[in-house]
Amino acid sequence: MKKLINSAETVVTDALRGLAAAHPDLRVDPGGRIVSRACGPTPGKVGLVSGGGSGHEPLHAGFVGYGMLDAACPGEIFTSLVPDQMVTATAAANGGVGVLHVVKNYTGDVLNFELAADLCAEEGVEIARVLVDDDVAVRDSPDTAGRRGTGATVFVEKIAGAAAEGGAPLAEVARVAREVNARSRSFGIALEACTTPVSGRPTFELGETEIELGVGIHGEPGRSRAAMRDARELAAVALDAVNEDMPLSGDVLVMVNGLGGTPLIELHIVFAEIAERLSGRGARVARSLVGDYVTSLDMRGFSVTACLLSEDLARLWDAPVQTPALRWGR
């Protein structure tokens, strides 16, 4: 195993030290595993908080900042956060009018967020929650009851974050977040597994010409193993899986997301195929992202996430944002 680390035990802490050094507009507590805006909560603004296991960077800490999250909690690699982290993060995000918790649908995350919400409520903080469950690959897995939360998390955090920044009340921010999730679907394909620092070996085995269709962001199995094929065919597999579950039409927000080990040149090849195939269905790529946004350490592969846009959702997507991983309009 060749990785740019000091030790397997200090990966998350060391990475947070680096995040703090690179982004002075963030307040980073490496020991407590909390990342929040350096300016503190904005009085009268709904706070947004998310979190989960590390290894998916820039999710979530890379999306803390104006127009997105107020605070995030990174757990150990591929390991859920703990309720105390969420309570502290919620306090860091609380502007006095409630806080929205954005939760990916994994059993540990769901349970720990629920415990944290109860503790926050005891302190008089109003909490709402949106559960992100956009992955169409599997209905249930060993880690979830229902679909897994993946790429749509970025869309939810950006669009709900814009609504909160614009002064919307908690109920409206939560409604917008749930609408984005309901309008979004994802599907991922792995060419090679990732390697965790602690284990030092791939999280699953693929044959020399095998790929995993419908892989999860922790290396969970998908729908099937298949033979490697060209980018056009793989883009079609991913987009067809999304379209079968949610027919794509009109204006669509599309993200072709790298899983950590895929060169950008290859992601753009996939995006070209996705855009062409969508056009053939009468849909239009109205907004797009191409790059690493929800990763799985060094996994080779990609995921496609599509969101059916309305005028209001497009307006909120276009609103200014300033975070380590997303920046425009400001």
Side-chain angles (χ1 to χ4, degrees):
M1 181 181 72
K2 294 179 180 178
K3 288 185 178 292
L4 295 173
I5 62 175
N6 295 317
S7 73
E9 293 73 28
T10 63
V11 167
V12 176
T13 301
D14 289 345
L16 289 174
R17 288 173 45 237
L19 184 71
H23 298 282
D25 53 340
L26 298 179
R27 179 178 296 152
V28 182
D29 177 0
R33 307 286 175 85
I34 307 293
V35 180
S36 59
R37 301 189 195 186
C39 61
T42 303
K45 187 189 86 68
V46 169
L48 261 72
V49 175
S50 194
S54 295
H56 306 304
E57 290 71 24
L59 196 79
H60 295 274
F63 299 125
V64 174
Y66 184 90
M68 288 190 77
L69 297 176
D70 292 271
C73 305
E76 284 294 337
I77 289 176
F78 295 176
T79 302
S80 179
L81 64 169
V82 297
D84 286 352
Q85 284 178 278
M86 295 309 307
V87 172
T88 302
T90 299
N94 181 22
V97 291
V99 175
L100 177 68
H101 287 172
V102 179
V103 187
K104 301 190 304 302
N105 188 32
Y106 296 94
T107 302
D109 289 2
V110 171
L111 291 175
N112 286 322
F113 267 99
E114 286 178 350
L115 288 170
D118 290 342
L119 293 170
C120 291
E122 291 176 4
E123 297 297 321
V125 182
E126 185 178 4
I127 302 293
R129 185 187 78 167
V130 58
L131 191 67
V132 182
D133 57 354
D134 55 304
D135 185 3
V136 302
V138 292
R139 170 59 65 180
D140 294 289
S141 77
D143 301 300
T144 63
R147 289 177 169 161
R148 303 177 293 215
T150 57
T153 313
V154 179
F155 295 172
V156 169
E157 291 176 357
K158 169 62 185 80
I159 293 174
E165 214 71 64
L170 180 60
E172 175 62 10
V173 174
R175 185 200 67 77
V176 167
R178 292 176 186 128
E179 180 182 2
V180 174
N181 181 64
R183 287 171 169 262
S184 300
R185 301 290 189 276
S186 297
F187 190 86
I189 295 176
L191 310 185
E192 294 177 5
C194 64
T195 298
T196 62
V198 170
S199 71
R201 59 182 180 271
T203 52
F204 57 92
E205 296 294 333
L206 285 173
E208 193 169 317
T209 61
E210 279 187 319
I211 59 174
E212 182 80 25
L213 302 179
V215 70
I217 57 174
H218 307 94
E220 309 97 321
R223 290 182 173 179
S224 63
R225 295 276 169 95
M228 182 61 189
R229 53 195 92 167
D230 65 25
R232 179 176 291 108
E233 292 181 85
L234 293 181
V237 168
L239 192 63
D240 289 350
V242 168
N243 187 73
E244 286 168 11
D245 196 87
M246 182 185 71
L248 299 170
S249 62
D251 286 353
V252 185
L253 164 60
V254 179
M255 178 171 68
V256 170
N257 170 64
L259 298 176
T262 307
L264 192 56
I265 191 170
E266 295 180 25
L267 297 179
H268 276 111
I269 291 171
V270 172
F271 188 83
E273 301 300 335
I274 294 288
E276 184 175 317
R277 197 167 183 84
L278 272 174
S279 179
R281 298 177 185 275
R284 183 175 80 95
V285 178
R287 305 290 188 276
S288 61
L289 286 178
V290 181
D292 286 347
Y293 297 99
V294 184
T295 61
S296 183
L297 292 172
D298 55 351
M299 185 183 289
R300 291 254 299 130
F302 72 96
S303 64
V304 175
T305 303
C307 176
L308 301 177
L309 285 175
S310 65
E311 287 187 13
D312 283 343
L313 295 186
R315 175 182 57 82
L316 291 168
W317 178 260
D318 291 340
V321 59
Q322 186 171 337
T323 72
L326 282 187
R327 290 174 179 258
W328 60 71
R330 197 168 189 246

